[in-house]
Amino acid sequence: MASSPSLPAPRSRSKKPLGKMADWFRQALSRKPTKTPVSPESTRSDVSQPSSSDRPPPLGPSPAVSPTPPPTHVGAHGGSSGGSGRWSKDYDVCVCHSEEDLVAAQELVSYLEGSAAGLRCFLQLRDATPGGAIVSELYQALSSSHCRVLLITQGFLRDPWCRYQMLQALSEAPGAEGRTIPLMSGLPRAAYPAELRFMYFVDGWGPDGGFRQVKEAVTRYLQTLS
């Protein structure tokens, strides 16, 4: 029996040694990536700078703006605030009288103003504003005076204008004790006006005509204001 021809042996493939391949991988992994140098100019251009509107305001007061001082209120008498007490009104006493009793009213005013208290008196014919309305001047005088003295005489009772002054004085301060001071001069008690029956009056029969009691009454009331 003939023997089969022998087949040629397969060629062995050439293989890369494993030692060299491991070295190649090791070198590839050990390589570091190269960095591209960055210039300072490009860094500043890439970073956005905040605008002036985004910046926070500086702390502390601004030197360009000065604080506004508080307003100063000036009172009627030139002070920093309105007057108080006795000086809140222009007059201490307003003397109401009839035209025929002008001389007696002037004597009373001279006595009050010349006293140690230095009372400020309003006498209509002397202190009223020239050209002013009579009724308006009376109202202004009563409202600008702490006290009012009613010089009650026969002429006062006969004069409708004096009666108006009396009623106006009572309406200005109906419940204020000591502000309205009736001075009866030359009249009996029976002639005392009924509108004033709830008030004590100063009797003018004395040697000084009751001027001292009037001064003391005004001074006493002014002391209650301080």
Side-chain angles (χ1 to χ4, degrees), residues 91 93-99 102 105-106 109 113 121-142 145 149 156 159 161-162 164-166:
Y91 299 98
V93 57
C94 175
V95 179
C96 300
H97 62 91
S98 66
E99 187 176 353
L102 177 59
Q106 289 174 335
V109 168
E113 291 179 340
C121 300
F122 180 89
L123 190 63
Q124 189 170 7
L125 293 180
R126 182 193 68 178
D127 300 317
T129 304
I134 296 177
V135 176
S136 300
E137 288 295 317
L138 173 64
Y139 175 79
Q140 182 65 26
L142 293 175
S145 303
V149 174
F156 188 94
D159 192 343
W161 169 244
C162 291
Y164 177 82
Q165 294 182 68
M166 178 180 63

Side-chain angles (χ1 to χ4, degrees), residues 56-62:
L59 299 178
S62 174

Side-chain angles (χ1 to χ4, degrees), residues 18-102:
L18 295 177
K20 293 182 179 181
M21 186 175 295
D23 293 339
W24 182 82
F25 276 109
R26 193 178 297 111
Q27 292 177 2
L29 293 175
S30 62
R31 291 178 184 177
K32 296 181 180 180
T34 58
K35 296 182 180 179
T36 304
V38 180
S39 62
E41 289 79 5
S42 61
T43 304
R44 285 194 296 268
S45 62
D46 294 339
V47 179
S48 60
Q49 298 293 332
S51 61
S52 59
S53 60
D54 297 334
R55 296 174 183 174
L59 299 178
S62 174
V65 181
S66 59
T68 304
T72 303
H73 300 283
V74 179
H77 297 279
S80 60
S81 60
S84 60
R86 176 183 178 183
W87 309 109
S88 62
K89 293 183 180 295
D90 296 331
Y91 299 98
D92 297 320
V93 57
C94 175
V95 179
C96 300
H97 62 91
S98 66
E99 187 176 353
E100 62 184 76
D101 297 321
L102 177 59

Side-chain angles (χ1 to χ4, degrees), residues 187-201:
L187 292 175
R189 294 178 180 269
Y192 191 58
E195 294 84 355
L196 304 175
R197 63 184 179 273
F198 56 90
M199 292 181 179
Y200 288 108
F201 63 87

Side-chain angles (χ1 to χ4, degrees), residues 11-24:
R11 296 179 181 181
S12 61
R13 296 178 182 179
S14 61
K15 297 181 180 179
K16 191 174 184 179
L18 295 177
K20 293 182 179 181
M21 186 175 295
D23 293 339
W24 182 82

Side-chain angles (χ1 to χ4, degrees), residues 148-220:
R148 57 289 316 263
V149 174
L150 305 178
L151 183 54
I152 302 175
T153 63
Q154 288 287 355
F156 188 94
L157 297 178
R158 288 194 301 261
D159 192 343
W161 169 244
C162 291
R163 179 178 177 83
Y164 177 82
Q165 294 182 68
M166 178 180 63
L167 297 177
Q168 188 68 25
L170 294 176
S171 65
E172 282 291 315
E177 296 183 0
R179 292 194 63 183
T180 302
I181 306 168
L183 172 58
M184 289 270 288
S185 179
L187 292 175
R189 294 178 180 269
Y192 191 58
E195 294 84 355
L196 304 175
R197 63 184 179 273
F198 56 90
M199 292 181 179
Y200 288 108
F201 63 87
V202 176
D203 194 348
W205 286 106
D208 61 353
F211 292 178
R212 180 181 59 84
Q213 286 183 273
V214 171
K215 181 197 69 175
E216 292 175 351
V218 174
T219 305
R220 190 181 305 113

